[in-house]
Amino acid sequence: MDLNIQHYIHKEKWIDDDLCDEIITTLDTENTWLPFPKDVVGAYPDAPRKQDGIAGSTLSIDWEQFIGDPDIPEQDRNYGLCHMQNKDQMLKLRERITAGLDHYVHDYLEDIEWYDYYRGFTDPKFMKYQESHDMMEHCDHVGNAVGGKGIPTVSIVGSLDDRHEGGYLRFWDKKNYYIGKGEIMFFPSNFLYPHRVTAVTGGLRYSFVSWVW
């Protein structure tokens, strides 16, 4: 077992460019993007978070209450969130995620004998970042991420484009990872892996997230 926790952050290209382009076109055609507030702490000062142990932590927040809030001023809106309605493309994407996840669990982590099985993963949730959009630091160790099926064991982040600048996935507030078009990153969801998305400085960043249980 590798004792360097960075080892367990792993990314590879699992989605071909054509499928990435098709998904982006579908998402923007369906146009079900809902805004998320840029400053959750400032916009919703009564939302519980400080007791989670990390300043600005999102562990106890029910994110659904903030998505698409019509009272978010335009200047305070951050990235957009949506689910894809096209079932055929969702199936294709899930097949590629499954291939990457199986590789991560069974091959990349082959020396971790006590973790060789997972039950499933959530349908991807898509995110669209424009210039200046970012995401606050958090970890994914929260039960509502997988709909009450338990606590996620592995987090999944994928990229659908390579036309944006900035928008790095930053771990421990010091290590930046750029996820290229069609690449999927897998990493443990627990408290040892706090991460955030740095501000996008140009273009549009299309990504998706999912969680394994």
Side-chain angles (χ1 to χ4, degrees), residues 54-59 63 135-139 170-174 193-197:
I54 303 176
S57 170
T58 63
L59 292 177
W63 290 107
M135 180 183 288
M136 63 190 294
E137 185 174 51
H138 65 285
C139 70
R170 176 175 291 176
F171 286 84
W172 312 291
D173 209 24
K174 66 178 182 179
Y193 292 84
H195 54 281
R196 65 185 181 94
V197 178

Side-chain angles (χ1 to χ4, degrees), residues 65-78:
Q65 68 181 302
F66 305 122
I67 298 173
D69 186 339
D71 295 326
I72 305 173
E74 188 64 34
Q75 69 272 17
D76 294 332
R77 297 187 176 202
N78 203 4

Side-chain angles (χ1 to χ4, degrees), residues 99-157:
L101 180 59
D102 284 345
H103 170 75
Y104 179 72
V105 171
H106 301 303
D107 299 323
Y108 191 75
L109 302 181
E110 62 179 353
D111 61 334
I112 309 296
E113 298 178 357
W114 50 92
Y115 184 71
D116 61 355
Y117 173 77
Y118 64 91
R119 293 183 180 276
F121 58 89
T122 61
D123 273 343
K125 180 181 294 185
F126 298 89
M127 299 178 175
K128 180 180 181 180
Y129 294 75
Q130 301 181 48
E131 189 170 341
S132 82
H133 289 175
D134 58 9
M135 180 183 288
M136 63 190 294
E137 185 174 51
H138 65 285
C139 70
D140 297 335
H141 192 75
V142 52
N144 61 21
V146 292
K149 296 182 174 69
I151 299 294
T153 56
V154 174
S155 295
I156 300 172
V157 180

